[in-house]
Amino acid sequence: MGLDDPFPIEKCSGRVRGAILAEFHGRCPTIREVASISDAQWLTVPNIGPTTLEELRSMTQPAPNGESRPSPTGMQDGELLSRLNRLQRELNIIVGEIRARFSAGASKKNQPR
């Protein structure tokens, strides 16, 4: 990945992605453009703090010996997918419970007193 390649914005967290797009007025910058902004300047951008700045900087520095970069979370892809699947199952259970409660509440309102 060269400095003039598009910044891999799709690999960033939502917070970093939003901050980058806001800073570059909605366009995806190059890696060089992101890298050229000083840490002090990035820290004045809304939603950029020390942790998000670290994530951003990890994406602008070349990987040694052409190695692939670890994900910003430090988790392997398989582990991330497993966690995503578990969270989606939990979310579906919660959505089902909410729908059941709404249905129960709606049927109570429709009953004559």
Side-chain angles (χ1 to χ4, degrees):
M1 193 165 26
L3 289 176
D4 293 319
D5 288 340
F7 184 81
I9 200 164
E10 70 282 353
K11 294 182 180 179
C12 296
S13 67
R15 177 175 284 180
V16 173
R17 189 177 314 126
I20 291 170
L21 290 174
E23 186 67 15
F24 289 94
H25 308 288
R27 72 175 178 83
C28 183
T30 64
I31 294 171
R32 182 185 311 274
E33 288 175 306
V34 172
S36 70
I37 297 176
S38 71
D39 288 356
Q41 188 176 349
W42 272 121
L43 290 171
T44 65
V45 174
N47 292 323
I48 296 287
T51 302
T52 51
L53 179 61
E54 183 179 323
E55 177 185 342
L56 192 147
R57 287 299 179 214
S58 74
M59 314 259 326
T60 61
Q61 297 175 5
N65 302 326
E67 298 169 7
S68 64
R69 255 180 233 296
S71 69
T73 63
M75 298 171 76
Q76 297 295 322
D77 288 348
E79 188 179 353
L80 285 169
L81 284 172
S82 175
R83 185 172 181 192
L84 173 64
N85 289 334
R86 181 177 43 81
L87 290 171
Q88 286 177 327
R89 284 192 305 272
E90 289 177 14
L91 178 61
N92 287 333
I93 290 169
I94 292 168
V95 167
E97 289 177 10
I98 291 170
R99 286 185 177 147
R101 288 183 184 182
F102 274 121
S103 294
S107 59
K108 283 183 183 179
K109 288 181 181 179
N110 293 334
Q111 291 178 352
R113 294 180 184 201

